[in-house]
Amino acid sequence: GAVVSQHPSWVICKSGTSVKIECRSLDFQATTMFWYRQFPKQSLMLMATSNEGSKATYEQGVEKDKFLINHASLTLSTLTVTSAHPEDSSFYICSVRVGRTYEQYFGPGTRLTVT
Amino acid sequence: GQNIDQPTEMTATEGAIVQINCTYQTSGFNGLFWYQQHAGEAPTFLSYNVLDGLEEKGRFSSFLSRSKGYSYLLLKELQMKDSASYLCAAMDSNYQLIWGAGTKLIIKP
């Protein structure tokens, strides 16, 4: 498997501010990382695929100017929620894809609350 | 379209056996994954099937029938710590995961 960390584990911010979430692959060089969002009692929703050294690929309906993704190295991808609003409050989880079978290993998640 | 179906919730008794079913429809197929997710935590990888048949891993087993678009996760000797949501995900021809909504498993003593 792969060990993935996220920072911070939780954050509370005021409406209109920006929040940066870091995702680190600790023992694996990840050319591809994924960012998910999960609302209470719902399944994972893929937001974007983060590719090292290139632009992220966003899923339909996800605003790329609002959710800025930077994958500057093989071990770090960041998600910045810009001008956050209460409806952006959610559980944000990153993952890395490893192996021939492409299984994904997830970070512990970041709980964002926008007041 | 692409779709994953699994039951919303199941209840079982400690020490018993439970089977969680999943049916899928995807554009192409590159395997079926099962993940476990405890409340408030991220999912953890349980199993991967790409060929028909049963894969056993300790108390957990996963089965796949590609012709039927069907998989199940079998949990034996249930323990209270197995109370969690179980997510089924199928990988399509582009190696993208299509996620089910998850099955919440409640274990009663």
Side-chain angles (χ1 to χ4, degrees):
Chain A
V3 181
V4 183
S5 71
Q6 275 183 247
H7 178 79
S9 55
W10 60 270
V11 58
I12 301 172
C13 71
K14 292 186 176 181
S15 187
T17 61
S18 295
V19 174
K20 180 185 282 189
I21 302 170
E22 292 186 349
C23 176
R24 292 184 184 274
S25 177
L26 300 181
D27 60 351
F28 179 78
Q29 292 189 321
T31 55
T32 302
M33 292 184 177
F34 300 92
W35 285 97
Y36 291 86
R37 180 167 55 181
Q38 187 176 36
F39 292 105
K41 299 185 179 181
Q42 295 187 24
S43 190
L44 298 171
M45 188 195 82
L46 179 65
M47 299 177 66
T49 302
S50 171
N51 302 297
E52 188 266 336
S54 64
K55 292 183 179 180
T57 303
Y58 291 82
E59 295 300 302
Q60 192 172 9
V62 178
E63 300 174 57
K64 62 180 181 181
D65 294 330
K66 180 172 181 62
F67 298 98
L68 302 179
I69 292 173
N70 186 355
H71 192 158
S73 76
L74 290 172
T75 58
L76 174 65
S77 176
T78 61
L79 168 68
T80 301
V81 183
T82 63
S83 186
H85 291 286
E87 56 265 31
D88 298 323
S89 298
S90 187
F91 190 46
Y92 291 85
I93 318 172
C94 70
S95 71
V96 302
R97 187 167 67 186
V98 305
R100 293 182 297 110
T101 57
Y102 291 154
E103 65 257 34
Q104 292 184 25
Y105 290 87
F106 290 84
T110 297
R111 191 161 301 282
L112 170 65
T113 301
V114 184
T115 60
Chain B
Q2 306 199 100
N3 190 52
I4 304 284
D5 283 316
Q6 53 181 130
T8 304
E9 187 174 296
M10 299 181 71
T11 302
T13 305
E14 189 177 16
I17 299 173
V18 70
Q19 178 175 311
I20 303 174
N21 295 324
C22 170
T23 58
Y24 63 89
Q25 289 179 305
T26 54
S27 300
F29 180 74
N30 279 301
L32 192 290
F33 295 84
W34 284 97
Y35 284 83
Q36 179 190 60
Q37 185 177 24
H38 285 100
E41 299 181 11
T44 55
F45 171 77
L46 289 179
S47 69
Y48 170 75
N49 294 66
V50 68
L51 301 177
D52 286 354
L54 186 68
E55 295 275 347
E56 297 185 72
K57 194 184 294 184
R59 293 189 299 114
F60 292 7
S61 302
S62 56
F63 172 84
L64 176 68
S65 169
R66 294 177 64 138
S67 62
K68 295 182 180 179
Y70 167 70
S71 174
Y72 67 72
L73 181 68
L74 190 71
L75 292 75
K76 302 177 185 176
E77 302 170 16
L78 286 170
Q79 302 174 10
M80 298 303 293
K81 68 178 182 179
D82 297 330
S83 293
S85 286
Y86 291 85
L87 308 177
C88 171
M91 184 175 287
D92 68 13
S93 57
N94 294 320
Y95 297 95
Q96 292 283 66
L97 283 180
I98 312 302
W99 292 87
T103 297
K104 182 178 180 181
L105 178 63
I106 300 168
I107 309 296
K108 295 186 175 180

